[in-house]
Amino acid sequence: MRSLTYVAVGFGVIIGVALLLPSPINSAATTPSTPQLLDGAYAPNDMLQSAQMTLLPAGVHGGEDVALDSNGCRYTGVDDGSILKLCTGGEEADRWQTVANTQGRPLGLAMTPSDELIIADGVRGLLKWTHEGTLQVLADHYQGEALGVVDDVDIGNDGTIYFSDASTHWPLAQYLNDALEARPSGRLFAFKPSGELTLLADDLAFANGVAVSSDQSFVLVNETYRYQITKVFLTGDRKGEKAIFADGLPSIPDGIARAGDGSFWVAMYALRSPVLDALHPYPWIKNQMAKLPSWLLPVPPAYGLIVHFSEQGEVLQSLHDRAAVTVGNVTSVQPEDDGLHLGTLHSGAIGVLRF
């Protein structure tokens, strides 16, 4: 009995000390959108379990995005900073090559028509890998201040590179603080072939996936912590304005890519956390939660999900892996002629769902 008393007193002391410690965040009260129901086009299924997974080299994880070159070779960036390449024919069959290491964390990837790789690196900024095997920094500052978490990238027909800066408040390693704090600082940029860097939009809630429309009239950016996809107009009378493309998502949007028919595929990291949604109106509680180890935070369980949207924002279909048997925590989906190529944040594999 005495030992239980000591344990209770010990826990009380720990809790008391924790309450006295300053919180690393200054969270805001916010009311999350009401999530759409998982029915109709969102109805759960297990179609993603048919994806074919390709293992990464031993010891590396997190092939966040996938890009293909004109020869069909696949590229991905992993958690140790490496850019990996895998070809399916010739002497390199079924063997990964390390073509570069950013010394950061490569996230979004996009291939230029001349097979140069544009890299959104969450630590280093916007980079380019050239045919000579060199890495160039295209942009790592804006108006004299370092970019935050450069997250995803797409390339327009004129060579303009559109990319997201997820947060200027928190580094990549503390991205969960950004979710708890609910003070959006994400941005969307355009990097012109001339080298000019232009801010297109700000006040984005963890600006994530980026995709340009087929007619180049708008660019979409996923606002991960608002559970919505935002449209930024590039042309016309509404140039520079923001509008909602899709909101009230039942899941957490990550990467986005345009298909050949002009529609969009969105990678959903997981279903929303009801606990986190319920806590958002209460800043004090969120401030205390930020003191906890990350493994104690209400992170939703692994779930595989990608969603297909029309060019107008209508949900066309959703593909699930409810138990994450084959793939979960999907961070990117890249439509190509041979299928949908999938990246993940934690897995030791990337995948493709064949058409």
Side-chain angles (χ1 to χ4, degrees), residues 39 71 110 140 145 161 185 207 349:
D39 59 16
N71 296 314
D140 59 3
E145 295 187 359
I161 298 170
S185 64

Side-chain angles (χ1 to χ4, degrees), residues 157 162 212-220 231-236 238-241 311:
N157 292 345
Y162 299 94
V212 189
S213 66
S214 57
D215 65 1
Q216 311 291 290
S217 67
F218 63 87
V219 60
L220 298 181
K231 174 191 290 189
V232 180
F233 293 92
L234 300 174
T235 61
R238 300 189 66 184
K239 181 178 179 179
E241 293 184 16
E311 199 166 12

Side-chain angles (χ1 to χ4, degrees), residues 160-185:
T160 297
I161 298 170
Y162 299 94
F163 70 94
S164 57
D165 183 4
S167 172
T168 59
H169 289 172
W170 296 100
L172 181 61
Q174 296 173 288
Y175 69 93
L176 290 175
N177 279 349
D178 203 87
L180 289 172
E181 194 165 52
R183 295 185 184 276
S185 64

Side-chain angles (χ1 to χ4, degrees), residues 12-214:
V13 170
I14 292 172
I15 292 171
V17 170
L19 291 174
L20 291 174
L21 290 174
S23 175
I25 68 172
N26 177 25
S27 68
T30 185
T31 302
S33 59
T34 301
Q36 299 179 44
L37 299 176
L38 291 178
D39 59 16
Y42 277 119
N45 55 67
D46 283 316
M47 295 179 69
L48 269 188
Q49 290 185 9
S50 299
Q52 301 170 14
M53 305 303 291
T54 299
L55 292 175
L56 298 171
V60 299
H61 298 83
E64 168 93 3
D65 200 359
V66 180
L68 273 66
D69 66 18
S70 59
N71 296 314
C73 297
R74 287 185 284 174
Y75 296 75
T76 192
V78 293
D79 56 1
D80 70 354
S82 296
I83 303 295
L84 305 177
K85 174 184 178 181
L86 178 66
C87 297
T88 56
E91 296 180 356
E92 294 178 320
D94 301 320
R95 189 172 71 229
W96 287 102
Q97 281 183 292
T98 299
V99 298
N101 192 298
T102 68
Q103 305 301 315
R105 181 45 166 117
L107 299 173
L109 306 176
M111 192 68 66
T112 71
S114 59
D115 283 344
E116 294 183 317
L117 189 65
I118 305 301
I119 304 163
D121 190 287
V123 177
R124 297 285 313 284
L126 185 68
L127 312 176
K128 180 170 74 171
W129 177 77
T130 69
H131 294 294
E132 293 75 28
T134 61
L135 278 171
Q136 298 178 3
V137 177
L138 299 180
D140 59 3
H141 283 74
Y142 176 68
Q143 294 186 342
E145 295 187 359
L147 298 176
V149 181
V150 175
D151 199 305
D152 197 26
V153 59
D154 197 13
I155 304 173
N157 292 345
D158 64 353
T160 297
I161 298 170
Y162 299 94
F163 70 94
S164 57
D165 183 4
S167 172
T168 59
H169 289 172
W170 296 100
L172 181 61
Q174 296 173 288
Y175 69 93
L176 290 175
N177 279 349
D178 203 87
L180 289 172
E181 194 165 52
R183 295 185 184 276
S185 64
R187 300 177 293 183
L188 177 69
F189 288 97
F191 182 82
K192 302 292 182 64
S194 64
E196 178 187 2
L197 182 61
T198 302
L199 177 66
L200 298 179
D202 56 11
D203 189 37
L204 302 174
F206 206 83
N208 208 320
V210 176
V212 189
S213 66
S214 57

